[in-house]
């Protein structure tokens, strides 16, 4: 009986924690039209909470995220397409509001920077290893080679 009670408490705790992000959208925000609400949820999942920064506005409980969710729903009710809603929010808050910003000429360096840093680091390591190898094994002059040969022959 005691094990069953622990399992029930653990299950209740797990359900409470798993349902946390779903509680961000308040009941007064939900649209009556299920199709519009589904579109609103899909759009909200693409937009970054400007307060939390690593959460979508759909998952965030921040007041600004709530305002953005309401704004998205207002634009959808007004008849905007999904692209128009995204364009409106981006025009107002910048590309940073997008969780997955599109590749463009403006942000090409940002997208390419990991590869460029990896190449620069690899090039630096390669050059540094070659320099160290040269320092460790200096070439012998002909006189030194002859002397080394003489020393080695004396031992045999």
């Amino acid at each position: 009986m005691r094990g069953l009670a622990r399992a029930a408490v653990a299950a209740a705790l797990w359900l409470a924690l798993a349902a946390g992000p779903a509680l961000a959208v308040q009941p007064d925000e939900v649209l009556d039209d299920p199709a519009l609400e589904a579109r609103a949820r899909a759009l909200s999942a693409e937009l970054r909470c400007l307060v939390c920064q690593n959460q979508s506005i759909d998952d965030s409980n921040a007041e600004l995220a709530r305002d953005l969710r309401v704004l998205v729903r207002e634009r959808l009710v007004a008849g905007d397409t999904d692209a128009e809603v995204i364009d409106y929010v981006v025009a107002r808050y910048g590309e940073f509001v997008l969780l997955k910003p599109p590749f463009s000429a403006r942000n090409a360096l940002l997208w390419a920077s990991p590869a460029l840093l990896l190449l620069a680091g690899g090039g630096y390591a390669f050059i540094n290893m070659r320099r160290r190898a040269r320092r460790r094994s200096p070439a012998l002059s002909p006189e030194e080679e002859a002397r080394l040969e003489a020393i080695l022959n004396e031992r045999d």
Side-chain angles (χ1 to χ4, degrees):
M1 181 70 174
R2 193 170 195 167
L4 185 60
R6 282 187 182 176
V9 169
L13 181 61
W14 182 81
L15 285 173
L17 291 175
L23 299 175
V25 177
Q26 302 299 315
D28 62 330
E29 297 174 31
V30 177
L31 297 172
D32 293 332
D33 183 359
L36 278 181
E37 180 60 26
R39 285 177 56 203
R41 288 290 179 112
L43 290 171
S44 295
E46 295 177 20
L47 298 173
R48 178 188 318 273
C49 174
L50 299 170
V51 176
C52 308
Q53 295 190 3
N54 283 331
Q55 280 186 320
S56 69
I57 62 171
D58 202 40
D59 296 334
S60 175
N61 287 322
E63 190 63 33
L64 181 58
R66 182 190 183 333
D67 293 344
L68 284 171
R69 287 192 303 266
V70 169
L71 175 68
V72 165
R73 283 165 173 76
E74 287 173 355
R75 302 296 298 186
L76 288 174
V77 169
D80 286 1
T81 65
D82 292 358
E84 289 172 335
V85 172
I86 294 291
D87 290 344
Y88 180 82
V89 174
V90 168
R92 207 163 170 193
Y93 296 99
E95 278 189 350
F96 182 74
V97 77
L98 298 174
L99 277 173
K100 296 178 183 172
F103 182 79
S104 67
R106 285 182 28 196
N107 61 19
L109 183 61
L110 180 65
W111 282 96
S113 62
L116 292 175
L117 288 173
L118 187 64
L119 286 173
Y124 175 78
F126 179 74
I127 290 169
N128 199 17
M129 286 190 318
R130 287 191 62 180
R131 283 183 186 162
R132 284 186 181 183
R134 286 182 189 155
R135 279 189 231 143
R136 285 188 187 153
S137 60
L140 298 176
S141 66
E143 296 85 26
E144 291 171 331
E145 283 185 27
R147 186 165 177 237
L148 178 63
E149 188 69 34
I151 293 171
L152 291 174
N153 286 337
E154 286 176 10
R155 286 189 175 177
D156 290 338

